[in-house]
Amino acid sequence: MNGFEYLLGMLLAQPVRARDALRARLPTTRRLRALASSPRVEALRAAERERIRRLVEGLAAVEGVTHLLTRVADHCDRPSSLGLLTTTAEGRGVLVCRMSAAAYFATGEDITAVLPRIEAAGLADWGFPNTWGDEPPYSPGTVAYALRYHRDRGLFPDGRRMPGPSLSTADATLVWDLPGIPRPDPRWPRPGSDVRFRHEQIPPDGDPAALLRAARAEGRGPVLVLTFGRDWTDTCTYHAVPRGRGRGRGRGRGREPG
């Protein structure tokens, strides 16, 4: 082996050694499970569940809306990159806890009749930052925008197609006119969910096809879905333990209950 080959081998080995050294300093799975079940994290988890429950039950109480099924997924994982490929707080951490949910509803009326009732119920501050140039009350994610979309058949005055309507908050989105209720994701639990994984369905024995048949037999056809933390965005992170704290008491950051 000449000097160049030796130097190249040493350079190529450095990232592997750095990775192995980092992994050696990371807390064990047993330690992370203890952190994920600490009283503080349990309180944050309960607050997240309560936030989801309030909006789901509030929507189900709107006249003309019937709740069919809710699915909740709760993960506590090691970030897959070990903080080497990202600069986010979650990516640099040793533990990230996220919760997502999807709640399915049915209505027997046209959505344009139901939307004003949803707005009147005051369930959430619907809407998100406007990027299309329209001033309120036609900001995207609002009831006003959704009603305008249906009234104008999805076209702006100049003939451009309007983006599809929804009701949106910072961490929840309601859409409608779904063809049905999808089966549970067969990939759950996800690879790497070795710290903590819980998947709950309400009602536990609810069959999507049977629930939908019953709703349609009662004259309820269009399906609405309310999603929380769709695509595992940062909005569904309720707790994260930064690197360096996993071996101590693990006082990571998280949303405060309330």
Side-chain angles (χ1 to χ4, degrees), residues 45-99:
R45 184 172 295 123
E48 196 75 352
R49 286 297 308 276
E50 177 63 15
R51 182 178 67 88
I52 293 171
R53 184 195 65 80
R54 284 199 303 265
L55 190 48
V56 170
E57 291 188 355
L59 186 56
V62 172
E63 180 185 353
V65 178
T66 300
H67 175 256
L68 300 178
L69 187 74
T70 296
R71 296 185 181 123
V72 181
D74 182 18
H75 292 258
C76 286
D77 304 323
R78 302 173 184 265
S80 59
S81 67
L82 297 178
L84 299 177
L85 302 177
T86 181
T87 58
T88 65
E90 288 80 1
R92 293 196 306 270
V94 296
L95 179 70
V96 179
C97 294
R98 295 185 173 99
M99 187 178 295

Side-chain angles (χ1 to χ4, degrees), residues 17-37:
R17 290 174 179 171
R19 180 203 62 192
D20 292 343
L22 175 60
R23 285 177 173 171
R25 294 195 299 270
L26 292 175
T28 64
T29 298
R30 181 178 179 180
R31 174 58 180 156
L32 291 178
R33 285 174 178 162
L35 293 173
S37 60

